[in-house]
Structures are given as structure tokens and as C-alpha cells.
Amino acid sequence: MTDFSQRLKLVQQQIADAEAQANRAPQSVQLLAVSKTKPIPDIEAFYQLGQRAFGENYVQEGVEKAQTLAHLNITWHFIGPLQSNKTKAVAEHFHWLHTVDRLKIAQRLSEQRPSHLPPLNVLIQINVSQEASKAGVALNDVDTLADQISALPNLQLRGLMCIPAQQDAIALKQDFKAMQQSFHGLQSRYSQVDTLSMGMSGDLSLAVECGSTLVRIGTALFGAREGRANG
């Protein structure tokens, strides 16, 4: 617990320092703890330290955690790639989805969202570095998909998300700035848009400088993990 406490305080201080350096308001950037592949006791430990938002990449694992920890006031974010045959589980058990990149997925999520739950908060995933292997829409296609999502009754469009390529700081800043510009454009069209999910353990400060409102941090909190990186 002490180790987790120190890690959380360090990340919170990094966010506060980045906000100050960028002349941003204190606490204008939310911390999303990326808990994929990590055991439930670790999540409970961070919860006891005050962390409330957790991100999962794998549907079955995330659903099991959400069900087991249903007695806790956790906001669950799904931040991994989502196949159409897994949309129902996400629609039923998560509060946020960061990775909408096509209309079919959005339609299924809206249709499968239980009527007793509020609309599912969704972000459009942008393939900002234009990588052939990455999911996400091109920046030029954001407005079209945003219009389509906004017409669906059980979804609430909240903003944008990206996972940029591993690259030097100059190229990364260009990608982050492109995201910021697109985010501001979306905000001018939709009053409820307030979330730019951008930045992980290695590029937190630069993401905050470029307008991120939510950073996805896994390694710096939970320690190194095996598997694909999204935190």
C-alpha cells in the first residue's frame, strides 16, 4: 500500500507540475489508472487511496472486475480495441468507451445500452500518426463520425482519444497539437464535448501542454506489465 501511495502521489504531482507549466487550471487533467492485467487487490488499494477512474483493455477481464467491484464507486473506462461481437458487454458494464472508430460499433453500442443506464460516454479514436497498423479515423473524418454518433440516442459524445506512434518529441508534439486543434473544432460544434484522452506514462507532460484533459497511466502506477502498451 505504501508503494502504491507513493506512486500515486508522484503521478499526481507530475500532473500538477505539467498543469502549472502549461498555465492550466489545477485539477483540469483527470488521471485514468490503467488497470489492465492487474489484480483486483491492486485496484482496491488505489481506490482506498482515492482513485476512482480505471481503464481496461480486454472485455472479459474488464467485465469481471466491474462485476466483482460493483460495490465500489468506480468509473470504468474501456480503452482497448473493440470488436463488434463484444459491444454488448461494454454497453452493459462500462461508463466510458475511448475507441469508437466506425459507425457500426457506435450503432451496436447504442442499441445494446440498457435502458436503465445513462447514455454511454464515448470518445472517437483518432489515428493521428496515420499508422497502417493502428485503429482510429483520420482527422479529416472526425466531423462525419461525430455527427453520426450524436444522432444515436444512447450514446453521449464526449471528445477524442489517440495513441500516437513512438516517435521523437518534435513529431509527437505535432501529433498532439493536431489533436488539440481537432478537439477545439469539435467543442465548437457540440457543447457536451469536454474530454481529450491523450498522454501516457512516458509523455504525460507534453500531452498536458497540448491540451489533454485525461491521461492514461498504467506503468507509473502499477509497475511494468507484459503485453501491449496503452498506458
Side-chain angles (χ1 to χ4, degrees), residues 1-20:
M1 177 70 79
T2 301
D3 192 27
F4 283 166
S5 178
Q6 291 173 342
R7 292 179 188 175
L8 181 60
K9 287 178 181 177
L10 179 60
V11 171
Q12 290 172 334
Q13 188 60 54
Q14 288 175 328
I15 293 173
D17 290 346
E19 289 170 336

Side-chain angles (χ1 to χ4, degrees), residues 3 41 83-84 87 100 105 124 128 156 195:
D3 192 27
Q83 299 172 336
S84 58
T87 53
V100 173
I105 293 291
I124 296 173
V128 68
Q156 176 84 314
T195 302

